[in-house]
Amino acid sequence: MSDWRDEVEALTLKGQIKMPYTWSVGETGSRFLVALRDEQKILANRCPLCGTVYVPPRKNCGTCFADIGTDDWLEVGPEGVVTAFTIIHQAHPLQPLATPFAYAIIQLDGADVGFVHILKDGWDRLKNGVRVRAKFGIERNGRILDIDGFEILT
Amino acid sequence: MARRVAIIGTGQTHHRSQRRDVNGREMIHEAVQRALADCELTMRDIDAVVIGNMDHFEAINSVDTWSVEGSGGVMKPIMKVTTGGTTGTSVAIAAYYHVASGMFDKVLAIGWEKNSESDTTGAIVTCSDPIWDRYSYSGAIPSLATEASAYMEKYGATQRDAARVALRERTHAQNNPYAHMHGRPLTLDEILDSPMLAYPIKLGDICPRTDGAAAVVFAAEDVAEKLAPRPAWIKATAVRHTYSWFGDVDQRTGLESLERAAREAYAAAGIKNPAEDFDVAELYLPYSYAGLKWIESLGFCGPGQGPQFIWDGHTDMGGKIPVNPSGGVMSTNCIGATALLRVAEAAIQVMGKGGARQVPDVKTALATGFGGCWWSDVVILGKEKPA
Ligand SMILES: [Zn+2]
């Protein structure tokens, strides 16, 4: 007895969903992005209860669940220290750059949490603890990539 | 007061990179039929279903409804639970809650994924915040790689140490006929020579993409003892989700969510010295470096001692605490099913049904789930009915 399943051509069908979205940044995040765009400044804010300085700033502290007030703002960076990194070798269309490039977690001066961003070059000097500085893009549109990347100092 | 609950049956597909012979619903059905057969029940006996998979991986939204024909959920209480990588432990823990609450006696938990149906990186970046993290820090491998680089620098761990973890997983998978990597062993040199994806992670250090499904039957105490000769009792569960901002996680410390979840679950289950008290562990280790660092977070050894613990063979079959007799996540990764497979495999060990991958005389077993932005779940199973 032959089994039709041994003969049948198992098909796959192609499809794609490409959906445009419009995400609300909110007032708190917008203030941060506007400062990046218009003043080339990196703003942060401080939880009034635990004192954690958040960058990007938050409307409330997730840990304390406390509202962060309008006066609890400060400027951090533009320099900081790399606390962890990876160098990307495998290309993907979603990545912001062609490979190789680096993603790093950067502790900006004055902040208590890490800031995730990219480094475009200087691999031979990249290690944890190295000091870096934000380099702003020439064309800025109010996005996190208005910082073009971080450059290794010295 | 919560009722005592046990796992009485498990089922899983033979996991593969692509299952063209079945669609997702049919693949789910395969795992469910195997789980029901394992505890000699029919779908009629099941009171409720909890199902989960990864958002966006198959672009099917109402999976709870879409899958009823395959899951057995027609005209039954069914809900979808999806929490990223921890989805599998979430469906298990939700099924446990269902039974422990006293409202349902027999509940089926299902996890599944057709990883072959989409671009895993494209789908997985939708877990990252679109304004803050998605375009400056995208993908699963890069975030794991930053953890690895920080761990290596702090403790002097090497790519060779990580490869030893990968070797263990792949070697164990050869004992598991269901594993995606069954029949495909690797040597230490082959792992070390594999292409670099995101420093320090090589192809041999990371989990595959798998099509597969898993199903587990949870039963209330009086029912469980009648239906299963040796049920796997739930001794404790714990869930700890920390942040959603990738920068908020300090990679220079242990995996905090896992440390906290383990602490709570160990206290509830009376675990004092995990490396001695557990007979086996099925850990959600999506990449090799997790096998060095996260066993420290689980208290198997002290901070920085992971590499030595691994090289000493303590986590191999026959070791002090065999880790992932199934071959683990690095040998099978149908993501929505992955953490449920950890629970199922831990239950299989307690029930003594592991065949070639069975660890002798398992009394207490640990299972974990990992996902999203450094979240952790812990499930502890035991042979003895909890007090
Ligand atoms: Zn706070």
Side-chain angles (χ1 to χ4, degrees):
Chain A
M1 277 285 283
S2 74
D3 186 331
W4 61 265
R5 290 175 299 186
D6 297 334
E7 313 283 320
V8 71
E9 178 192 0
L11 301 175
T12 56
L13 301 180
K14 294 258 182 224
Q16 185 171 11
I17 295 176
K18 198 168 181 177
M19 182 77 82
Y21 286 92
T22 304
W23 290 302
S24 297
V25 177
E27 292 167 347
T28 303
S30 296
R31 185 179 182 194
F32 170 88
L33 290 178
V34 167
L36 276 193
R37 184 188 67 192
D38 297 349
E39 302 172 63
Q40 303 184 47
K41 278 183 181 172
I42 303 172
L43 296 185
N45 65 5
R46 178 185 282 113
C47 171
L49 288 190
C50 67
T52 301
V53 174
Y54 287 108
V55 59
R58 319 290 159 90
K59 195 166 193 301
N60 69 278
C61 175
T63 305
C64 305
F65 219 57
D67 289 340
I68 300 181
T70 51
D71 300 331
D72 299 321
W73 287 63
L74 62 155
E75 190 181 341
V76 295
E79 290 186 17
V81 171
V82 170
T83 62
F85 70 91
T86 177
I87 301 164
I88 307 296
H89 294 269
Q90 191 188 37
H92 193 280
L94 274 166
Q95 287 163 353
L97 293 171
T99 55
F101 71 97
Y103 286 122
I105 302 181
I106 297 153
Q107 185 105 33
L108 292 168
D109 293 345
D112 291 318
V113 298
F115 186 74
V116 293
H117 219 279
I118 54 179
L119 280 82
K120 295 185 171 180
D121 43 39
W123 318 132
D124 46 330
R125 289 176 293 153
L126 181 55
K127 56 178 185 171
N128 295 338
V130 73
R131 281 195 72 76
V132 293
R133 184 187 175 89
K135 183 177 174 242
F136 284 83
I138 295 163
E139 237 177 73
R140 299 183 301 277
N141 332 296
R143 305 177 59 215
I144 197 74
L145 292 175
D146 282 3
I147 299 174
D148 192 45
F150 279 76
E151 291 181 319
I152 298 174
L153 297 171
T154 68
Chain B
M1 183 62 194
R3 288 201 294 183
R4 285 172 286 197
V5 179
I7 291 170
I8 59 166
T10 72
Q12 60 185 296
T13 53
H14 285 82
H15 312 297
R16 297 289 177 264
S17 61
Q18 191 172 28
R19 286 288 309 274
R20 282 196 189 196
D21 59 319
V22 283
N23 62 35
R25 191 157 45 206
E26 295 163 346
M27 192 178 70
I28 290 165
H29 184 247
E30 229 173 80
V32 170
Q33 287 289 54
R34 289 177 178 186
L36 292 172
D38 190 41
C39 51
E40 298 175 25
L41 293 179
T42 69
M43 199 58 215
R44 262 172 192 262
D45 300 312
I46 299 295
D47 303 317
V49 181
V50 184
I51 188 167
N53 65 310
M54 293 289 283
D55 288 327
H56 306 296
F57 274 54
E58 296 83 7
I60 295 160
N61 238 327
S62 314
V63 157
D64 43 342
T65 304
W66 164 85
S67 66
V68 283
E69 185 183 292
S71 69
V74 176
M75 295 301 273
K76 285 186 194 286
I78 179 167
M79 53 177 73
K80 170 181 152 182
V81 175
T82 176
T83 62
T86 45
T87 292
T89 32
S90 292
V91 294
I93 292 169
Y96 164 61
Y97 293 165
H98 270 67
V99 180
S101 74
M103 294 184 69
F104 304 93
D105 278 347
K106 296 182 286 304
V107 175
L108 180 65
I110 303 167
W112 70 282
E113 212 69 70
K114 270 272 187 183
N115 255 289
S116 67
E117 293 190 344
S118 66
D119 167 0
T120 300
T121 297
I124 215 163
V125 297
T126 59
C127 89
S128 303
D129 185 280
I131 295 157
W132 304 115
D133 287 349
R134 193 174 299 176
Y135 302 104
S136 53
Y137 196 71
S138 51
I141 298 175
S143 73
L144 296 172
T146 53
E147 181 194 47
S149 76
Y151 179 83
M152 287 168 80
E153 182 152 316
K154 184 166 181 186
Y155 294 115
T158 64
Q159 295 185 33
R160 195 174 172 81
D161 296 334
R164 178 62 177 78
V165 175
L167 177 68
R168 178 197 69 207
E169 303 292 61
R170 191 61 78 92
T171 303
H172 287 184
Q174 306 318 311
N175 296 326
N176 178 7
Y178 298 100
H180 181 174
M181 294 300 159
H182 181 70
R184 293 163 69 181
L186 278 180
T187 65
L188 195 68
D189 285 339
E190 284 170 331
I191 294 161
L192 282 165
D193 292 342
S194 64
M196 184 67 77
L197 303 178
Y199 171 85
I201 296 181
K202 296 173 181 172
L203 186 61
D205 290 308
I206 196 80
C207 50
R209 303 164 64 225
T210 306
D211 280 5
V216 175
V217 181
F218 291 76
E221 49 186 311
D222 43 335
V223 183
E225 283 168 313
K226 285 187 196 120
L227 291 173
R230 190 200 284 182
W233 294 98
I234 315 292
K235 298 189 80 169
T237 66
V239 175
R240 285 293 180 277
H241 287 195
T242 45
Y243 308 103
S244 67
W245 298 71
F246 281 95
D248 283 9
V249 182
D250 191 342
Q251 299 296 1
R252 297 164 296 184
T253 67
L255 180 55
E256 190 189 5
S257 61
L258 187 60
E259 290 170 358
R260 299 263 195 117
R263 197 181 308 159
E264 181 194 330
Y266 290 179
I271 302 294
K272 302 219 160 51
N273 187 347
E276 308 293 334
D277 297 350
F278 290 118
D279 302 303
V280 65
E282 274 287 340
L283 308 181
Y284 195 124
L285 306 175
Y287 79 125
S288 57
Y289 293 84
L292 302 173
K293 176 177 167 177
W294 299 0
I295 59 169
E296 299 169 10
S297 299
L298 284 165
F300 291 6
C301 58
Q305 295 171 357
Q308 192 59 49
F309 197 81
I310 296 296
W311 283 107
D312 287 345
H314 294 315
T315 65
D316 297 337
M317 292 301 272
K320 187 192 282 195
I321 175 164
V323 170
N324 296 339
S326 66
V329 185
M330 290 176 60
S331 301
T332 302
N333 191 30
C334 24
I335 305 183
T338 295
L340 187 59
L341 281 171
R342 307 282 72 72
V343 177
E345 288 288 337
I348 285 167
Q349 292 289 340
V350 172
M351 295 191 284
K353 293 180 176 179
R357 64 188 187 285
Q358 180 69 45
V359 172
D361 194 27
V362 170
K363 293 188 187 66
T364 312
L366 170 68
T368 66
F370 169 81
C373 186
W374 306 98
W375 301 325
S376 299
D377 292 348
V378 168
V379 176
I380 297 174
L381 302 178
K383 189 176 164 185
E384 286 185 11
K385 191 173 176 177

